[in-house]
PDB file of all heavy atoms in Angstrom:
ATOM      1  N   SER Z 169     -78.771 -26.312  66.869  1.00 98.00           N
ATOM      2  CA  SER Z 169     -78.920 -24.903  67.204  1.00 98.00           C
ATOM      3  C   SER Z 169     -77.605 -24.380  67.798  1.00 98.00           C
ATOM      4  O   SER Z 169     -76.759 -25.196  68.102  1.00 98.00           O
ATOM      5  CB  SER Z 169     -80.077 -24.710  68.177  1.00 98.00           C
ATOM      6  OG  SER Z 169     -79.798 -25.288  69.397  1.00 98.00           O
ATOM      7  N   ALA Z 171     -77.171 -23.361  70.586  1.00 98.00           N
ATOM      8  CA  ALA Z 171     -77.095 -23.878  71.968  1.00 98.00           C
ATOM      9  C   ALA Z 171     -76.052 -24.962  72.094  1.00 98.00           C
ATOM     10  O   ALA Z 171     -75.545 -25.354  73.232  1.00 98.00           O
ATOM     11  CB  ALA Z 171     -78.449 -24.256  72.556  1.00 98.00           C
ATOM     12  N   LYS Z 174     -73.048 -23.190  73.207  1.00 97.00           N
ATOM     13  CA  LYS Z 174     -73.194 -22.788  74.605  1.00 97.00           C
ATOM     14  C   LYS Z 174     -72.990 -23.893  75.571  1.00 97.00           C
ATOM     15  O   LYS Z 174     -72.256 -23.774  76.582  1.00 97.00           O
ATOM     16  CB  LYS Z 174     -74.664 -22.233  74.820  1.00 97.00           C
ATOM     17  CG  LYS Z 174     -74.816 -20.825  74.275  1.00 97.00           C
ATOM     18  CD  LYS Z 174     -76.181 -20.276  74.306  1.00 97.00           C
ATOM     19  CE  LYS Z 174     -77.283 -20.948  74.963  1.00 97.00           C
ATOM     20  NZ  LYS Z 174     -78.616 -20.298  74.687  1.00 97.00           N
ATOM     21  N   GLU Z 197     -83.110 -31.205  80.585  1.00 98.00           N
ATOM     22  CA  GLU Z 197     -83.009 -29.788  80.163  1.00 98.00           C
ATOM     23  C   GLU Z 197     -84.431 -29.179  80.087  1.00 98.00           C
ATOM     24  O   GLU Z 197     -85.247 -29.722  79.340  1.00 98.00           O
ATOM     25  CB  GLU Z 197     -82.281 -29.647  78.732  1.00 98.00           C
ATOM     26  CG  GLU Z 197     -82.017 -28.227  78.540  1.00 98.00           C
ATOM     27  CD  GLU Z 197     -81.497 -27.846  77.108  1.00 98.00           C
ATOM     28  OE1 GLU Z 197     -81.690 -28.555  76.260  1.00 98.00           O
ATOM     29  OE2 GLU Z 197     -80.867 -26.773  77.078  1.00 98.00           O
ATOM     30  N   LEU Z 198     -84.604 -28.098  80.675  1.00 98.00           N
ATOM     31  CA  LEU Z 198     -85.877 -27.335  80.565  1.00 98.00           C
ATOM     32  C   LEU Z 198     -85.640 -26.232  79.478  1.00 98.00           C
ATOM     33  O   LEU Z 198     -84.670 -25.481  79.552  1.00 98.00           O
ATOM     34  CB  LEU Z 198     -86.148 -26.543  81.934  1.00 98.00           C
ATOM     35  CG  LEU Z 198     -85.998 -27.473  83.137  1.00 98.00           C
ATOM     36  CD1 LEU Z 198     -86.246 -26.553  84.441  1.00 98.00           C
ATOM     37  CD2 LEU Z 198     -87.093 -28.567  83.104  1.00 98.00           C
ATOM     38  N   GLY Z 199     -86.458 -26.277  78.479  1.00 98.00           N
ATOM     39  CA  GLY Z 199     -86.307 -25.345  77.267  1.00 98.00           C
ATOM     40  C   GLY Z 199     -85.314 -26.028  76.414  1.00 98.00           C
ATOM     41  O   GLY Z 199     -84.206 -25.475  76.118  1.00 98.00           O
ATOM     42  N   SER Z 200     -85.702 -27.216  75.804  1.00 98.00           N
ATOM     43  CA  SER Z 200     -84.682 -28.008  75.065  1.00 98.00           C
ATOM     44  C   SER Z 200     -84.799 -27.854  73.531  1.00 98.00           C
ATOM     45  O   SER Z 200     -83.936 -28.283  72.820  1.00 98.00           O
ATOM     46  CB  SER Z 200     -84.836 -29.483  75.454  1.00 98.00           C
ATOM     47  OG  SER Z 200     -86.147 -29.861  75.183  1.00 98.00           O
ATOM     48  N   ALA Z 201     -85.868 -27.211  73.031  1.00 98.00           N
ATOM     49  CA  ALA Z 201     -86.041 -27.126  71.587  1.00 98.00           C
ATOM     50  C   ALA Z 201     -85.356 -25.959  70.863  1.00 98.00           C
ATOM     51  O   ALA Z 201     -85.274 -24.920  71.514  1.00 98.00           O
ATOM     52  CB  ALA Z 201     -87.620 -27.069  71.309  1.00 98.00           C
ATOM     53  N   PRO Z 202     -84.742 -26.185  69.773  1.00 98.00           N
ATOM     54  CA  PRO Z 202     -84.733 -27.388  68.915  1.00 98.00           C
ATOM     55  C   PRO Z 202     -83.732 -28.514  69.322  1.00 98.00           C
ATOM     56  O   PRO Z 202     -83.900 -29.673  68.784  1.00 98.00           O
ATOM     57  CB  PRO Z 202     -84.487 -26.870  67.526  1.00 98.00           C
ATOM     58  CG  PRO Z 202     -83.712 -25.640  67.751  1.00 98.00           C
ATOM     59  CD  PRO Z 202     -84.153 -25.090  69.008  1.00 98.00           C
ATOM     60  N   GLY Z 203     -82.703 -28.191  70.131  1.00 98.00           N
ATOM     61  CA  GLY Z 203     -82.037 -29.319  70.570  1.00 98.00           C
ATOM     62  C   GLY Z 203     -80.440 -29.305  70.403  1.00 98.00           C
ATOM     63  O   GLY Z 203     -79.800 -30.367  70.487  1.00 98.00           O
ATOM     64  N   GLY Z 204     -79.827 -28.165  70.238  1.00 98.00           N
ATOM     65  CA  GLY Z 204     -78.398 -28.074  70.130  1.00 98.00           C
ATOM     66  C   GLY Z 204     -77.672 -28.537  71.365  1.00 98.00           C
ATOM     67  O   GLY Z 204     -76.735 -29.401  71.350  1.00 98.00           O
ATOM     68  N   ALA Z 205     -78.239 -28.127  72.590  1.00 98.00           N
ATOM     69  CA  ALA Z 205     -77.621 -28.520  73.844  1.00 98.00           C
ATOM     70  C   ALA Z 205     -77.809 -30.071  74.011  1.00 98.00           C
ATOM     71  O   ALA Z 205     -76.916 -30.760  74.432  1.00 98.00           O
ATOM     72  CB  ALA Z 205     -78.227 -27.739  74.982  1.00 98.00           C
ATOM     73  N   SER Z 206     -79.053 -30.523  73.787  1.00 98.00           N
ATOM     74  CA  SER Z 206     -79.313 -31.993  73.953  1.00 98.00           C
ATOM     75  C   SER Z 206     -78.365 -32.721  73.017  1.00 98.00           C
ATOM     76  O   SER Z 206     -77.753 -33.827  73.462  1.00 98.00           O
ATOM     77  CB  SER Z 206     -80.754 -32.295  73.593  1.00 98.00           C
ATOM     78  OG  SER Z 206     -81.657 -31.691  74.422  1.00 98.00           O
ATOM     79  N   VAL Z 219     -87.510 -31.011  78.108  1.00 98.00           N
ATOM     80  CA  VAL Z 219     -88.775 -30.426  78.411  1.00 98.00           C
ATOM     81  C   VAL Z 219     -89.068 -29.159  77.614  1.00 98.00           C
ATOM     82  O   VAL Z 219     -88.295 -28.198  77.800  1.00 98.00           O
ATOM     83  CB  VAL Z 219     -88.992 -30.059  79.977  1.00 98.00           C
ATOM     84  CG1 VAL Z 219     -90.295 -29.451  80.263  1.00 98.00           C
ATOM     85  CG2 VAL Z 219     -88.742 -31.303  80.811  1.00 98.00           C
ATOM     86  N   ASP Z 220     -90.027 -29.234  76.709  1.00 98.00           N
ATOM     87  CA  ASP Z 220     -90.207 -27.987  75.780  1.00 98.00           C
ATOM     88  C   ASP Z 220     -91.525 -28.283  75.007  1.00 98.00           C
ATOM     89  O   ASP Z 220     -91.605 -29.430  74.504  1.00 98.00           O
ATOM     90  CB  ASP Z 220     -89.028 -27.631  74.914  1.00 98.00           C
ATOM     91  CG  ASP Z 220     -88.981 -26.253  74.379  1.00 98.00           C
ATOM     92  OD1 ASP Z 220     -90.076 -25.709  73.939  1.00 98.00           O
ATOM     93  OD2 ASP Z 220     -87.881 -25.576  74.525  1.00 98.00           O
ATOM     94  N   THR Z 221     -92.371 -27.231  74.811  1.00 98.00           N
ATOM     95  CA  THR Z 221     -93.503 -27.406  73.987  1.00 98.00           C
ATOM     96  C   THR Z 221     -93.063 -27.283  72.464  1.00 98.00           C
ATOM     97  O   THR Z 221     -93.898 -27.600  71.544  1.00 98.00           O
ATOM     98  CB  THR Z 221     -94.553 -26.454  74.253  1.00 98.00           C
ATOM     99  OG1 THR Z 221     -94.029 -25.245  74.248  1.00 98.00           O
ATOM    100  CG2 THR Z 221     -95.281 -26.781  75.574  1.00 98.00           C
ATOM    101  N   GLY Z 222     -91.854 -26.771  72.250  1.00 98.00           N
ATOM    102  CA  GLY Z 222     -91.394 -26.574  70.892  1.00 98.00           C
ATOM    103  C   GLY Z 222     -90.966 -28.013  70.225  1.00 98.00           C
ATOM    104  O   GLY Z 222     -90.776 -28.969  70.938  1.00 98.00           O
ATOM    105  N   LEU Z 239     -94.112 -30.463  77.266  1.00 97.00           N
ATOM    106  CA  LEU Z 239     -95.029 -29.678  78.218  1.00 97.00           C
ATOM    107  C   LEU Z 239     -94.162 -28.451  78.627  1.00 97.00           C
ATOM    108  O   LEU Z 239     -92.984 -28.439  78.657  1.00 97.00           O
ATOM    109  CB  LEU Z 239     -95.116 -30.553  79.530  1.00 97.00           C
ATOM    110  CG  LEU Z 239     -95.914 -31.846  79.490  1.00 97.00           C
ATOM    111  CD1 LEU Z 239     -95.724 -32.570  80.749  1.00 97.00           C
ATOM    112  CD2 LEU Z 239     -97.391 -31.517  79.303  1.00 97.00           C
ATOM    113  N   PRO Z 240     -94.896 -27.435  79.190  1.00 98.00           N
ATOM    114  CA  PRO Z 240     -94.160 -26.295  79.791  1.00 98.00           C
ATOM    115  C   PRO Z 240     -93.595 -26.843  81.166  1.00 98.00           C
ATOM    116  O   PRO Z 240     -94.208 -27.752  81.823  1.00 98.00           O
ATOM    117  CB  PRO Z 240     -95.254 -25.259  80.050  1.00 98.00           C
ATOM    118  CG  PRO Z 240     -96.555 -25.767  79.473  1.00 98.00           C
ATOM    119  CD  PRO Z 240     -96.383 -27.251  79.129  1.00 98.00           C
ATOM    120  N   ALA Z 241     -92.520 -26.298  81.591  1.00 98.00           N
ATOM    121  CA  ALA Z 241     -91.810 -26.776  82.781  1.00 98.00           C
ATOM    122  C   ALA Z 241     -92.669 -26.940  83.983  1.00 98.00           C
ATOM    123  O   ALA Z 241     -92.691 -27.795  84.842  1.00 98.00           O
ATOM    124  CB  ALA Z 241     -90.555 -25.906  83.023  1.00 98.00           C
ATOM    125  N   ASP Z 259     -82.502 -23.588  79.588  1.00 98.00           N
ATOM    126  CA  ASP Z 259     -82.228 -22.550  78.572  1.00 98.00           C
ATOM    127  C   ASP Z 259     -83.580 -21.851  78.246  1.00 98.00           C
ATOM    128  O   ASP Z 259     -83.741 -21.513  77.136  1.00 98.00           O
ATOM    129  CB  ASP Z 259     -81.556 -23.229  77.443  1.00 98.00           C
ATOM    130  CG  ASP Z 259     -80.933 -22.299  76.490  1.00 98.00           C
ATOM    131  OD1 ASP Z 259     -80.710 -21.099  76.843  1.00 98.00           O
ATOM    132  OD2 ASP Z 259     -80.696 -22.680  75.295  1.00 98.00           O
ATOM    133  N   MET Z 260     -84.517 -21.895  79.133  1.00 98.00           N
ATOM    134  CA  MET Z 260     -85.880 -21.339  78.864  1.00 98.00           C
ATOM    135  C   MET Z 260     -85.738 -19.849  78.660  1.00 98.00           C
ATOM    136  O   MET Z 260     -85.137 -19.160  79.455  1.00 98.00           O
ATOM    137  CB  MET Z 260     -86.837 -21.600  79.969  1.00 98.00           C
ATOM    138  CG  MET Z 260     -87.148 -23.130  80.132  1.00 98.00           C
ATOM    139  SD  MET Z 260     -88.324 -23.423  81.415  1.00 98.00           S
ATOM    140  CE  MET Z 260     -87.415 -23.004  82.970  1.00 98.00           C
ATOM    141  N   ASN Z 261     -86.491 -19.319  77.600  1.00 97.00           N
ATOM    142  CA  ASN Z 261     -86.481 -17.841  77.391  1.00 97.00           C
ATOM    143  C   ASN Z 261     -87.585 -17.227  78.257  1.00 97.00           C
ATOM    144  O   ASN Z 261     -88.514 -16.736  77.627  1.00 97.00           O
ATOM    145  CB  ASN Z 261     -86.514 -17.541  75.909  1.00 97.00           C
ATOM    146  CG  ASN Z 261     -87.578 -18.275  75.144  1.00 97.00           C
ATOM    147  OD1 ASN Z 261     -88.416 -18.980  75.827  1.00 97.00           O
ATOM    148  ND2 ASN Z 261     -87.643 -18.147  73.824  1.00 97.00           N
ATOM    149  N   LEU Z 262     -87.418 -17.270  79.518  1.00 97.00           N
ATOM    150  CA  LEU Z 262     -88.358 -16.667  80.454  1.00 97.00           C
ATOM    151  C   LEU Z 262     -87.577 -15.689  81.319  1.00 97.00           C
ATOM    152  O   LEU Z 262     -86.353 -15.715  81.324  1.00 97.00           O
ATOM    153  CB  LEU Z 262     -88.970 -17.737  81.457  1.00 97.00           C
ATOM    154  CG  LEU Z 262     -89.733 -18.893  80.822  1.00 97.00           C
ATOM    155  CD1 LEU Z 262     -90.082 -19.921  81.841  1.00 97.00           C
ATOM    156  CD2 LEU Z 262     -91.081 -18.325  80.156  1.00 97.00           C
ATOM    157  N   TYR Z 270     -88.166 -22.084  88.919  1.00 98.00           N
ATOM    158  CA  TYR Z 270     -88.328 -23.468  88.349  1.00 98.00           C
ATOM    159  C   TYR Z 270     -87.065 -24.282  88.775  1.00 98.00           C
ATOM    160  O   TYR Z 270     -87.208 -25.392  89.136  1.00 98.00           O
ATOM    161  CB  TYR Z 270     -88.374 -23.361  86.845  1.00 98.00           C
ATOM    162  CG  TYR Z 270     -89.769 -23.083  86.296  1.00 98.00           C
ATOM    163  CD1 TYR Z 270     -90.013 -22.039  85.436  1.00 98.00           C
ATOM    164  CD2 TYR Z 270     -90.948 -23.846  86.729  1.00 98.00           C
ATOM    165  CE1 TYR Z 270     -91.297 -21.686  85.016  1.00 98.00           C
ATOM    166  CE2 TYR Z 270     -92.188 -23.585  86.273  1.00 98.00           C
ATOM    167  CZ  TYR Z 270     -92.334 -22.510  85.346  1.00 98.00           C
ATOM    168  OH  TYR Z 270     -93.590 -22.209  84.898  1.00 98.00           O
ATOM    169  N   LYS Z 288     -81.576 -15.068  80.791  1.00 97.00           N
ATOM    170  CA  LYS Z 288     -81.677 -14.124  79.673  1.00 97.00           C
ATOM    171  C   LYS Z 288     -81.602 -12.719  80.224  1.00 97.00           C
ATOM    172  O   LYS Z 288     -82.334 -12.314  81.211  1.00 97.00           O
ATOM    173  CB  LYS Z 288     -82.965 -14.252  78.908  1.00 97.00           C
ATOM    174  CG  LYS Z 288     -83.247 -15.747  78.509  1.00 97.00           C
ATOM    175  CD  LYS Z 288     -82.216 -16.376  77.461  1.00 97.00           C
ATOM    176  CE  LYS Z 288     -82.510 -17.854  77.329  1.00 97.00           C
ATOM    177  NZ  LYS Z 288     -81.407 -18.449  76.380  1.00 97.00           N
TER     178      LYS Z 288
HETATM  179  C1  SAM N 401     -83.240 -20.584  73.573  1.00 54.16           C
HETATM  180  S1  SAM N 401     -84.551 -21.691  73.268  1.00 54.16           S
HETATM  181  C2  SAM N 401     -83.710 -23.186  73.789  1.00 54.16           C
HETATM  182  C3  SAM N 401     -82.700 -23.688  72.902  1.00 54.16           C
HETATM  183  C4  SAM N 401     -82.307 -25.094  73.276  1.00 54.16           C
HETATM  184  N1  SAM N 401     -81.734 -25.164  74.622  1.00 54.16           N
HETATM  185  C5  SAM N 401     -81.453 -25.759  72.259  1.00 54.16           C
HETATM  186  O1  SAM N 401     -80.522 -26.498  72.738  1.00 54.16           O
HETATM  187  O2  SAM N 401     -81.684 -25.729  71.110  1.00 54.16           O
HETATM  188  C6  SAM N 401     -85.607 -21.324  74.503  1.00 54.16           C
HETATM  189  C7  SAM N 401     -86.778 -22.370  74.621  1.00 54.16           C
HETATM  190  O3  SAM N 401     -87.385 -22.179  75.861  1.00 54.16           O
HETATM  191  C8  SAM N 401     -88.727 -22.780  75.708  1.00 54.16           C
HETATM  192  N2  SAM N 401     -89.573 -22.363  76.854  1.00 54.16           N
HETATM  193  C9  SAM N 401     -90.021 -21.226  77.160  1.00 54.16           C
HETATM  194  N3  SAM N 401     -90.797 -21.223  78.203  1.00 54.16           N
HETATM  195  C10 SAM N 401     -90.791 -22.550  78.643  1.00 54.16           C
HETATM  196  C11 SAM N 401     -91.438 -23.283  79.687  1.00 54.16           C
HETATM  197  N4  SAM N 401     -92.237 -22.648  80.530  1.00 54.16           N
HETATM  198  N5  SAM N 401     -91.225 -24.582  79.789  1.00 54.16           N
HETATM  199  C12 SAM N 401     -90.473 -25.176  78.863  1.00 54.16           C
HETATM  200  N6  SAM N 401     -89.832 -24.555  77.876  1.00 54.16           N
HETATM  201  C13 SAM N 401     -90.028 -23.241  77.752  1.00 54.16           C
HETATM  202  C14 SAM N 401     -89.155 -22.249  74.305  1.00 54.16           C
HETATM  203  O4  SAM N 401     -90.114 -22.984  73.831  1.00 54.16           O
HETATM  204  C15 SAM N 401     -87.818 -22.348  73.513  1.00 54.16           C
HETATM  205  O5  SAM N 401     -87.737 -23.538  72.773  1.00 54.16           O
END
Side-chain angles (χ1 to χ4, degrees):
S169 68
K174 282 176 4 189
E197 192 189 23
L198 310 175
S200 57
S206 295
V219 176
D220 201 311
T221 51
L239 294 170
D259 193 20
M260 293 184 289
N261 48 10
L262 296 175
Y270 280 124
K288 312 291 170 187

